[in-house]
Amino acid sequence: MSESNSDWKNALKAEDTFRQFIIKYFAQHEALTGSYDIPSYYEHYVVKLDKHDKIVITLTTGMNQAGDNISVPLPSKEKEKMSIEDFRTLILNKKFADQNMSFADVFQTVAGVPDQNSNK
């Protein structure tokens, strides 16, 4: 079941409404995942809601190996936790709701993953 762009934008208008939207979203979806891959570099993110109703964004970045004898650094993993209200405030402050973005696009942007379409 996918959420329409208007669903999350309408939920943003009130703290309680947005909180219920997030809880319902993650009750229906175990996690929201995405990635950005170019030949030399990759980023993968996973967004979940923990048992304390905190949004947890895990971002894994690394280099893609280009040849047989190339030393590639291990991927780095960053984890950020924020309250649902902090996330709502971040969306409002960044004006994501004013842009034509899906709910997944917002998480991708918050996780710091570049938009693949802008690099083509």
Side-chain angles (χ1 to χ4, degrees), residues 22-23 25-27 29-33 45-59 77 79-84 87 103 107:
I22 292 289
I23 290 169
Y25 182 89
F26 284 105
H29 307 85
E30 182 179 327
L32 182 77
T33 60
Y45 69 92
V46 178
V47 183
K48 294 184 175 190
L49 193 64
D50 72 10
K51 63 183 177 185
H52 304 292
D53 289 342
K54 296 278 187 192
I55 294 173
V56 180
I57 302 172
T58 305
L59 179 65
K77 190 179 240 183
K79 189 178 275 192
E80 182 174 348
K81 283 187 180 187
M82 66 178 73
S83 71
I84 294 172
F87 183 63
F103 194 53
F107 277 117

Side-chain angles (χ1 to χ4, degrees), residues 2-120:
S2 67
E3 305 297 328
S4 77
N5 278 0
S6 61
D7 290 346
W8 71 267
K9 290 178 182 181
N10 288 334
L12 272 175
K13 296 174 185 172
E15 181 177 347
D16 289 343
T17 306
F18 190 69
R19 179 178 177 75
Q20 290 307 313
F21 174 83
I22 292 289
I23 290 169
K24 180 181 174 190
Y25 182 89
F26 284 105
Q28 295 172 344
H29 307 85
E30 182 179 327
L32 182 77
T33 60
S35 64
Y36 171 75
D37 253 315
I38 59 174
S40 61
Y41 177 79
Y42 65 87
E43 293 184 344
H44 302 278
Y45 69 92
V46 178
V47 183
K48 294 184 175 190
L49 193 64
D50 72 10
K51 63 183 177 185
H52 304 292
D53 289 342
K54 296 278 187 192
I55 294 173
V56 180
I57 302 172
T58 305
L59 179 65
T60 304
T61 58
M63 305 299 284
N64 289 320
Q65 190 166 352
D68 289 340
N69 295 321
I70 296 176
S71 175
V72 176
L74 292 173
S76 76
K77 190 179 240 183
E78 296 175 37
K79 189 178 275 192
E80 182 174 348
K81 283 187 180 187
M82 66 178 73
S83 71
I84 294 172
E85 178 55 16
D86 286 349
F87 183 63
R88 184 178 86 91
T89 302
L90 178 68
I91 292 171
L92 291 170
N93 289 341
K94 296 247 186 211
K95 309 249 186 271
F96 292 140
D98 297 340
Q99 302 169 26
N100 187 22
M101 297 179 84
S102 71
F103 194 53
D105 292 337
V106 171
F107 277 117
Q108 177 174 318
T109 304
V110 170
V113 177
D115 181 1
Q116 273 191 307
N117 297 325
S118 67
N119 292 333
K120 291 184 180 176

